[in-house]
Amino acid sequence: MTLLEKVKANLILEHSADDELLEMYITASTRYAESYQHFPENHYIEAVMPATTEQAIIMLSSHFYESRDGSTGGFFSDNVQAGQQVWNTVNLLLRLDRDWKV
């Protein structure tokens, strides 16, 4: 299953009208993950993506899609901290596979 398919499953999205937009969010999320983890851009084109990093990218891409109108968090917008909760969770997942440098 591709990342696009996993993001669409996470969003419970069955149409393909927004596939190009989702691919853009997946690319942005992947670049964020690579930067946060201290890997060079396009690292995950060659390297195997750990499950925790993949989940972070799925969550972040979904967040970008659901809050594209500038709201706090789409599905998770039941409180004012929703957007921050997404970022905290994503960063915790990405930290597990980070290349720690001194």
Side-chain angles (χ1 to χ4, degrees):
M1 187 180 274
T2 67
L3 267 175
L4 176 61
E5 292 168 328
K6 290 177 182 181
V7 170
K8 288 174 75 169
N10 189 59
L11 291 166
I12 313 169
L13 193 63
E14 296 178 357
H15 64 79
S16 59
D18 291 336
D19 283 5
E20 188 175 329
L21 180 63
L22 288 170
E23 288 284 6
M24 187 174 66
Y25 293 147
I26 291 167
T27 298
S29 299
T30 303
R31 295 298 169 269
Y32 176 78
E34 291 166 338
S35 176
Y36 187 92
Q37 294 175 330
H38 301 140
F39 293 129
E41 189 172 311
N42 298 318
H43 172 77
Y44 287 118
I45 289 176
E46 299 286 324
V48 174
M49 185 180 292
T52 49
T53 296
E54 183 178 85
Q55 183 60 40
I57 290 170
I58 291 167
M59 290 178 68
L60 190 53
S61 300
S62 297
H63 173 66
F64 288 159
Y65 182 81
E66 290 182 326
S67 61
R68 65 190 177 279
D69 63 351
S71 66
T72 58
F75 180 79
F76 300 102
S77 63
D78 60 342
N79 69 62
V80 295
Q81 297 295 325
Q84 188 59 50
Q85 289 172 343
V86 171
W87 283 100
N88 289 345
T89 303
V90 165
N91 288 339
L92 285 170
L93 286 166
L94 293 176
R95 197 172 297 152
L96 295 171
D97 302 307
R98 193 174 198 175
D99 183 15
W100 295 93
K101 297 180 180 182
V102 180

